[in-house]
Amino acid sequence: MTPIRVVHLLDDVAPGGVTQALAIYDHPGLADLVTSRVVQVVPDRPRVPRLEADVILTHFPPRWRALPFLAALRARYPRARLIHVEHSYTGAWEAHCVPHRRRFRTMLRLAYRLFDDVVAVSHGQRAWLEQAVGIPGRRLSVISPWSDVPDLAAIAPPDETHRRPLVVGAYGRFAEQKGFDRLIEAFRGLDPERYTLLLGGFGPQEAALKAAAAGLPHVRFVGPVSDRAAFLARCDVIAVPSRWEAFGLVATEARQAARALLVADVDGLPEQLGEAGLRVDFASPSGLQDSLAALSERSLAELGRRARASVAGLTEARLDAWRRLLSADA
């Protein structure tokens, strides 16, 4: 069988969640089906590059200025299968960031009509896309991102016999989306003898976050997290306080590392919990405190084991989903 030629179009190739998710195309489980390469484009300009592709996947968010590019892409490659992977837009994102909802949804409808298929990264996002944009179910799939971080499976569940403050970890880009400011504010009301917060990452809100944590000895910044396994091993629980989050690879990595989860009740985050954690109202002054109290009544080691069990077979499931989608018209 001749491999399917797949080209991924990105407007930003800096390391991050999108580029990390593309690693699945280098997995041996897809080697017999596809050849894959990444091409960086400038969607705000209508010039479409020359591509040798059977399938073209776009990974940048649609926008009004990008519509001419997408239309030109469809016109130049009428025989190629066009698939859009929606990494960004969600119901919570729309609620926080869109002042003119009707105009925004009109743009999405115009953009998505140019594609043969649209991939949502969570069921929560898919439900919003169906309701808000009206994408027919036959053209809308759910394939969550894949994370291949070495050594996560080797991390032992938390040791509850070692008496010390409960270590809550959080990591990611220091930006409004991630909600770390709400997490710091919640720690203002927590006992330093019982709880410690480890914050890993960097970004535009770093100075503001550090200023907000002034005078809180139990909030510690550890810098960029280059070794996620080492960071997760230091934590008992992982918090994901995002204001919006299409999927949330941090939650998946925490489950792989056998760590209980405390996640915001937005978009794709709740569906990652299973029996391995709790939904938290991070907007409430007592939301985190109440959730930590409820969590203390349960075995963190047992929650960790359940978390790890919930990702058993995850890689195979992601590979199977992509194989089915890409070979559907082959």
Side-chain angles (χ1 to χ4, degrees), residues 189-250:
L190 293 176
D191 183 355
E193 299 294 322
R194 297 183 61 193
Y195 301 105
T196 294
L197 173 62
L198 293 186
L199 270 176
F202 62 95
Q205 283 195 335
E206 183 168 354
L209 292 176
K210 289 182 175 178
L216 300 179
H218 53 324
V219 176
R220 303 172 187 171
F221 291 82
V222 300
V225 180
S226 57
D227 187 339
R228 277 169 280 182
F231 178 85
L232 285 161
R234 297 175 63 186
C235 304
D236 300 308
V237 180
I238 296 299
V240 189
S242 303
R243 290 181 169 89
W244 63 87
E245 197 72 68
F247 178 67
L249 274 174
V250 166

Side-chain angles (χ1 to χ4, degrees), residues 43 57 67 88 130 136 150 176 216 303 308 330:
L57 286 93
L67 288 182
S88 303
E130 285 186 303
E176 180 189 9
L216 300 179
L303 288 173
R308 179 166 286 158

Side-chain angles (χ1 to χ4, degrees), residues 53-55 73-82 116:
D54 303 304
V55 178
L73 184 69
R74 176 79 280 178
R76 182 165 183 177
Y77 301 104
R79 296 184 179 180
R81 189 171 171 203
L82 264 58
D116 299 294

Side-chain angles (χ1 to χ4, degrees), residues 127-199:
W128 173 76
L129 287 171
E130 285 186 303
Q131 179 272 324
V133 188
I135 302 175
R138 67 181 183 279
R139 293 177 47 229
L140 185 57
S141 304
V142 177
I143 307 178
S144 299
W146 177 73
S147 180
D148 184 27
V149 179
D151 303 324
L152 293 186
I155 299 174
D159 180 3
E160 297 175 309
T161 64
H162 181 51
R163 291 188 175 274
R164 58 181 170 83
L166 181 79
V167 179
V168 178
Y171 62 102
R173 181 170 167 77
F174 289 169
E176 180 189 9
Q177 173 195 358
K178 299 304 181 181
F180 296 142
D181 56 319
R182 303 193 297 183
L183 192 56
I184 292 172
E185 184 60 30
F187 259 77
R188 191 173 299 280
L190 293 176
D191 183 355
E193 299 294 322
R194 297 183 61 193
Y195 301 105
T196 294
L197 173 62
L198 293 186
L199 270 176

Side-chain angles (χ1 to χ4, degrees), residues 11-291:
D11 61 349
D12 183 358
V13 295
V18 175
T19 53
Q20 181 180 338
L22 293 182
I24 195 168
Y25 281 87
D26 296 325
H27 194 281
L30 288 177
D32 64 331
L33 180 66
V34 305
T35 61
S36 172
R37 67 188 183 99
V38 174
V39 175
Q40 187 173 13
V41 295
V42 183
D44 292 354
R45 301 174 186 172
R47 185 175 180 273
V48 174
R50 181 177 179 180
L51 305 170
E52 298 292 335
D54 303 304
V55 178
I56 301 171
L57 286 93
T58 59
H59 296 271
F60 52 84
R63 46 192 180 266
W64 283 107
R65 290 192 303 273
L67 288 182
F69 176 91
L70 294 175
L73 184 69
R74 176 79 280 178
R76 182 165 183 177
Y77 301 104
R79 296 184 179 180
R81 189 171 171 203
L82 264 58
I83 301 174
H84 175 67
V85 184
E86 188 49 72
H87 298 277
S88 303
Y89 297 139
T90 68
W93 185 93
E94 182 186 56
H96 278 87
C97 304
V98 177
H100 305 292
R101 190 174 71 175
R102 181 177 297 180
R103 185 174 186 273
F104 172 65
R105 293 185 177 186
T106 297
M107 180 276 295
L108 289 183
R109 292 187 185 100
L110 292 172
Y112 292 148
R113 286 173 186 169
L114 297 168
F115 293 91
D116 299 294
D117 298 279
V118 176
V119 175
V121 297
S122 65
H123 293 279
Q125 185 190 52
R126 174 186 174 136
W128 173 76
L129 287 171
E130 285 186 303
Q131 179 272 324
V133 188
I135 302 175
R138 67 181 183 279
R139 293 177 47 229
L140 185 57
S141 304
V142 177
I143 307 178
S144 299
W146 177 73
S147 180
D148 184 27
V149 179
D151 303 324
L152 293 186
I155 299 174
D159 180 3
E160 297 175 309
T161 64
H162 181 51
R163 291 188 175 274
R164 58 181 170 83
L166 181 79
V167 179
V168 178
Y171 62 102
R173 181 170 167 77
F174 289 169
E176 180 189 9
Q177 173 195 358
K178 299 304 181 181
F180 296 142
D181 56 319
R182 303 193 297 183
L183 192 56
I184 292 172
E185 184 60 30
F187 259 77
R188 191 173 299 280
L190 293 176
D191 183 355
E193 299 294 322
R194 297 183 61 193
Y195 301 105
T196 294
L197 173 62
L198 293 186
L199 270 176
F202 62 95
Q205 283 195 335
E206 183 168 354
L209 292 176
K210 289 182 175 178
L216 300 179
H218 53 324
V219 176
R220 303 172 187 171
F221 291 82
V222 300
V225 180
S226 57
D227 187 339
R228 277 169 280 182
F231 178 85
L232 285 161
R234 297 175 63 186
C235 304
D236 300 308
V237 180
I238 296 299
V240 189
S242 303
R243 290 181 169 89
W244 63 87
E245 197 72 68
F247 178 67
L249 274 174
V250 166
T252 300
E253 291 167 2
R255 289 190 290 157
Q256 291 172 315
R259 290 306 183 263
L261 284 167
L262 297 171
V263 305
D265 191 9
V266 297
D267 302 324
L269 288 176
E271 62 201 64
Q272 296 208 52
L273 280 179
E275 298 180 343
L278 300 171
R279 303 184 190 198
V280 180
D281 182 3
F282 286 99
S284 167
S286 63
L288 180 62
Q289 184 173 358
D290 293 343
S291 297

